[in-house]
Amino acid sequence: MSTPRTASITRNTNETQIRVSINLDGTGQQKLNTGVPFLDHMLDQIARHGLIDLDIEANGDLHIDAHHTVEDVGITLGQAFAKAMGDKKGIRRYGHAYVPLDEALSRVVIDFSGRPGLEFHVPWKRAMIGGFDVDLTHEFFQGFVNHALVSLHIDNLRGENAHHQCETVFKAFGRALRMATELDPRSAGTIPSTKGSL
Ligand SMILES: [Mn+2]
């Protein structure tokens, strides 16, 4: 391994103060404290199933609701990925995963294309998971996509339980991230694009 693929980003606005550190070549270690327990539970899935170390601390305006915090964690995580990926030499670029959890099944496909694009198709069975508004899941991924500059296709194919639906999305996202960000030993450090840059 050459240069470590790590990044630390601090993002402060009047609505949220967020610090994100990641290691793409980690082991799934995590330290998560966003103030939104369900978001921490979902970020934990990314770390464990992506084998990406995540250290995330957020202090947001939760007295209003969790919207700004969830969206801004997605933005800051996206910025950290963009930075840690560097020039993207030797990466696999594309990643995909299907992940089930009991009755639920989701598919996530990602391309570190350098262009933002999100297709988000999750037919939620409930509006709330405990105190967590399921609409915020889209906001998280839109924030991530806009700043990581990836094409991301998320489809929940089946599911009766909204917690299961959401968890399969985040687990598949972690697995797809792992595949796309991993260095391909056959590529000899080239950039996987006929353009010569991503
Ligand atoms: Mn769970």
Side-chain angles (χ1 to χ4, degrees):
M1 183 66 58
S2 46
T3 45
R5 299 194 303 161
T6 60
S8 292
I9 301 278
T10 301
R11 185 179 187 274
N12 292 318
T13 72
N14 291 334
E15 294 170 342
T16 63
Q17 296 83 50
I18 295 171
R19 185 186 54 71
V20 170
S21 295
I22 66 170
N23 178 6
L24 297 181
D25 303 299
T27 55
Q29 291 179 59
Q30 45 78 30
K31 201 161 144 253
L32 304 164
N33 187 16
T34 66
V36 182
F38 187 75
L39 178 61
D40 289 348
H41 184 42
M42 293 301 104
L43 294 168
D44 193 9
Q45 310 302 332
I46 299 173
R48 282 171 201 275
H49 298 286
L51 295 180
I52 292 161
D53 294 342
L54 290 182
D55 183 352
I56 301 178
E57 182 92 35
N59 185 10
D61 53 2
L62 296 177
H63 59 282
I64 297 175
D65 69 6
H67 191 113
H68 300 140
T69 299
V70 175
E71 181 178 10
D72 293 358
V73 167
I75 289 170
T76 314
L77 186 64
Q79 291 174 333
F81 266 83
K83 189 174 176 193
M85 294 289 273
D87 59 13
K88 302 181 187 170
K89 272 185 185 152
I91 63 163
R92 295 191 192 278
R93 176 177 171 178
Y94 304 103
H96 62 267
Y98 285 85
V99 169
L101 197 179
D102 298 339
E103 90 296 343
L105 175 66
S106 292
R107 178 185 64 213
V108 173
V109 183
I110 194 165
D111 174 13
F112 275 84
S113 57
R115 299 185 298 278
L118 176 64
E119 286 290 331
F120 186 87
H121 303 277
V122 181
W124 296 111
K125 291 298 163 80
R126 265 187 290 150
M128 301 291 287
I129 301 170
F132 186 84
D133 179 350
V134 296
D135 282 349
L136 299 183
T137 310
H138 179 272
E139 301 309 301
F140 172 87
F141 285 110
Q142 189 70 64
F144 180 87
V145 158
N146 288 350
H147 293 271
L149 300 177
V150 295
S151 305
L152 182 62
H153 292 250
I154 294 175
D155 289 86
N156 172 251
L157 305 173
R158 269 196 281 285
E160 295 303 320
N161 177 292
H163 187 127
H164 289 176
Q165 287 179 291
C166 197
E167 193 161 321
T168 54
V169 164
F170 275 88
K171 284 175 167 172
F173 179 57
R175 276 294 179 111
L177 279 173
R178 177 181 170 187
M179 184 189 289
T181 60
E182 268 180 352
L183 297 172
D184 183 344
R186 293 180 62 198
S187 82
T190 56
I191 291 170
S193 166
T194 50
K195 281 202 301 275
S197 67
L198 284 172

